[in-house]
Structures are given as C-alpha cells and as structure tokens.
Amino acid sequence: MVPMTSSGSGRSRSRQAANAEAAKKKADRVKRSQKLAEKRVTSDQVRDSEPAPTAYGRGVRDDSPPRNEFPDDFRAGFACFVGRPNAGKSTLTNSVVGAKVAITSGRPQTTRHTVRGIVHRDDAQLVLVDTPGLHKPRTLLGARLNDEVRATWAEVDVIGFCVPADEKIGPGDRYIAAELAQVRRTPKIAILTKTDKASKEQIAEQLLALVELGREVGVEWAEVIPVSAVRDEQIQLLEDLLVKQLPESPPLYPGGELTDEPEEVMVGELVREAALEGVRDELPHSLAVTVEEMTLREDRPADRPLLDVHATLYVERPSQKAIIIGHGGERLREVGSRARQQIEALLGTPVFLDLHVKVAKDWQRDPKQLAKLGF
C-alpha cells in the first residue's frame, strides 16, 4: 500500500505543475495581446497622423480637398462586420466599398486578416474592417484569428453583426452576440445577409429572431436591416446607417484609396482565393500564401512594364501539395492563371506570376511557423 503522505505529495506536485502551466499560458496570452496592440492602427492614431500615402502600382490620384476644407459636420471613422464563418462579411464589405478589397469563397473561415476598405462620400469617409469569422478554435491559428477579431471590436466606432437569412440562428450566433454585449459603448447594427437566398417568410422570421436575440443577451441594436450584397439590395441604406454612427472628423485617408492593405498581402490573398476554388473541405484551413518578391522587370519599355511576382503556397501534408499541383502541374497552372488576372486588375499592370508549393508540417499549431507566415 502506498502511504497517504506520498500520494498527497504527488497530488500537490501535480497541482503545482498544473498551476505553473496555467500561469505560463496566461502570460503567453498577455504577451500576444500586447504585440497585437502594438501592431494595430487605431482610429485615433490615424486621425492624429498624416494621410496614408497612395499605394504604388494602383495609379490612384488623390483629388480630395485638404483636410481643413471639409464641412464641420463631416463624419469619418471605422466600422467592422463580425459574425460566424461564412456569414457573408467579405462579400458585404466588397459590395459597400464598390470594389474587391477582400477575398471571398464558399468555404468557411476564408478571411485571415483584418482588411480595411474605404468608402469616400461628400459628407463622410467610412472605413470598413472585414474580420475573420469568430469560431471555436481548434488550432493556435484559430485562437490568434479570434484575438484579431476581439481586438478590432475595441477600436471601431460601430459594429455590424452579420447573420445569414437562409440559416437559423444557432449557438455560434448566440455566442458572438453575447460577446458583443460586453462591448458596452460601441453602437451595434444587426445585419441580415444573403436575403437573396431566403423567402420573404424566412426573412421576416429571421428579423424577429435577431431582435429577440438582442433581448436575450442584452444588446440593444441601433438598427436591424436585411441586405443582399449579390442583388445590391439595401446596401446604400446600410452604408447610410453606418455613417450615421460615425463621429464628426476630417477624412482619415486620401480620397483615391480603396484600401490601406499592403499590396503584397492583397496579392497573396488573391493567390489563396484562386487556390481555394474547388478544393476539398480540409484544405482551406491548411493553406497559406506568402509573397516572396514583387519587382518591376528591368530593361522593359516604360509603356510596357512587367511586374514579376514570386509567391509560395504552404500546406501541411504532402497529399495536400499533390492536390494543389494537380496531375502534371495542371491545377497549379489554373491557379496561376486565375490569380494573375485578379492581380493585374488590382495593380493595373501586366504580371508574371511564379508559384511554388511547399509543405510546412502542422504550421497552424506551430508558433514559429505561424510567425514566419505572418500570423
């Protein structure tokens, strides 16, 4: 028989080890939050700084008046769309901005970065922030994406909570709504998305369910609105409702800019979007893209520029690499062709796109590899 003192001592050591591990995890979370805070560009920081420079390659001019020439009641600020994965946030962002600034896919959890799209009006400037879908994380990547979402909530002037019209409100929606209830001072608009996929009866039921959800969790919606980004229905009204919640402020960005996202990031996202087309369910979460180099080719005539783009697609297993490449490299060529067209439309210049595929085993769970891939 084992003496009780020995057993008790063993349990004590186990508790001490568990407490030490919990303390270490908490310290890691704090450090991660501090790093996120250092990286974030908040609305106050933008307001206190000079206008962001026009991005190279887009050929965009800023014809807007100087900041002090705007009317006193001009409004400017940040809004974000939040919701569970595949709630239509990126499509809605693109629709309101009037240009493609966020990639879209039928696969959930496509968005990996907080993407800013800028809407310019005579009376306001609305900066839309598209966030990853808030979800129950299964990997370190998932946890970090959730951190990005919550960090964004604290920095915007108004939050749009997106729920699809063709799917009943579920536990994921309730969880996000309850989280939003903790963000006390920021006004919140409930947005019923994808109304083109639902009947009038479904839309009416969902609108009532959204109102009831607000009551359940303690959120008083500033507005409740159904929209269809595909049919462009009530998008202008949604824009007006978001602008109404912004503070009076001079513009935050030059008049010609549609996004402040770095071009390398946008190019990488367009490659990832092309690679996601028609792939199996498990691949989207395992796919990451980095742009290694973007340079104008030398010795080209000024009227015939060519931009060389070298990008790497990372997957977690050799079997996934085979899916991306396809038989004889056929699928990778299709990905390159599809991505190149989108990149040329974005940058306004001919592009030579060079793609490579590499295996980074279990990168979603590896802090060092996540850092290397920009997460």
Side-chain angles (χ1 to χ4, degrees), residues 3-323:
M4 291 296 292
T5 52
S6 176
S7 176
S9 175
R11 283 196 298 270
S12 176
R13 284 195 297 270
S14 296
R15 281 196 298 271
Q16 290 174 357
N19 291 338
E21 180 66 19
K24 182 178 182 301
K25 288 182 178 180
K26 182 177 180 180
D28 289 343
R29 284 197 301 271
V30 171
K31 288 180 181 178
R32 172 68 181 165
S33 297
Q34 290 171 341
K35 288 181 179 179
L36 281 174
E38 291 168 1
K39 289 168 59 180
R40 286 200 306 277
V41 179
T42 68
S43 57
D44 288 339
Q45 288 172 334
V46 173
R47 289 189 179 100
D48 293 339
S49 69
E50 290 301 312
T54 300
Y56 164 79
R58 292 181 212 159
V60 178
R61 292 168 51 223
D62 178 19
D63 295 323
S64 57
R67 282 184 167 190
N68 58 2
E69 293 184 12
F70 283 85
D72 292 338
D73 59 351
F74 192 90
R75 294 178 180 273
F78 289 76
C80 74
F81 292 142
V82 300
R84 56 184 165 83
N86 214 23
K89 300 181 296 296
S90 296
T91 303
L92 187 58
T93 298
N94 292 338
S95 182
V96 176
V97 174
K100 184 168 186 172
V101 295
I103 70 169
T104 58
S105 171
R107 305 292 180 182
Q109 297 177 34
T110 298
T111 301
R112 293 266 179 83
H113 303 273
T114 51
V115 179
R116 289 187 178 93
I118 306 167
V119 180
H120 303 277
R121 299 170 32 143
D122 292 337
D123 62 337
Q125 187 180 81
L126 171 65
V127 185
L128 281 173
V129 186
D130 180 34
T131 60
L134 196 66
H135 61 288
K136 183 177 181 180
R138 297 175 180 171
T139 64
L140 182 57
L141 172 63
R144 290 189 174 180
L145 294 182
N146 281 352
D147 288 343
E148 290 282 357
V149 176
R150 291 189 177 92
T152 301
W153 294 357
E155 307 296 350
V156 297
D157 301 295
V158 55
I159 298 171
F161 174 50
C162 297
V163 173
D166 61 333
E167 300 176 27
K168 288 195 177 293
I169 290 176
D173 301 307
R174 288 189 172 84
Y175 172 74
I176 297 170
E179 291 281 300
L180 288 177
Q182 307 304 312
V183 188
R184 299 290 183 184
R185 298 181 180 179
T186 307
K188 304 161 193 72
I189 295 176
I191 306 169
L192 193 63
T193 61
K194 304 184 181 182
T195 56
D196 52 287
K197 293 185 175 182
S199 66
K200 291 182 179 179
E201 291 75 14
Q202 282 179 299
I203 293 171
E205 290 177 2
Q206 282 287 79
L207 288 172
L208 290 174
L210 266 174
V211 173
E212 182 58 31
L213 176 61
R215 290 198 190 102
E216 288 178 11
V217 300
V219 173
E220 184 177 350
W221 307 120
E223 307 282 352
V224 179
I225 177 174
V227 302
S228 170
V230 173
R231 293 180 180 170
D232 196 29
E233 292 176 352
Q234 302 227 100
I235 298 302
Q236 184 60 55
L237 176 57
L238 172 61
E239 181 185 310
D240 292 341
L241 295 176
L242 292 169
V243 166
K244 180 182 175 182
Q245 301 294 337
L246 302 181
E248 292 186 359
S249 165
L252 308 176
Y253 292 92
E257 283 294 279
L258 296 178
T259 180
D260 67 351
E261 191 79 359
E263 288 183 344
E264 288 83 356
V265 173
M266 294 192 71
V267 167
E269 289 291 88
L270 290 173
V271 172
R272 189 163 66 90
E273 180 184 53
L276 288 173
E277 187 70 28
V279 298
R280 299 176 187 173
D281 288 341
E282 76 274 9
L283 187 54
H285 314 296
S286 302
L287 180 63
V289 177
T290 61
V291 174
E292 314 298 339
E293 188 178 14
M294 284 175 55
T295 56
L296 282 171
R297 187 171 295 185
E298 298 179 359
D299 303 324
R300 294 278 297 189
D303 60 342
R304 293 181 59 201
L306 182 65
L307 185 69
D308 287 316
V309 177
H310 301 274
T312 302
L313 294 85
Y314 290 90
V315 293
E316 293 187 300
R317 296 189 295 277
S319 60
Q320 295 169 339
K321 179 177 180 178
I323 294 171

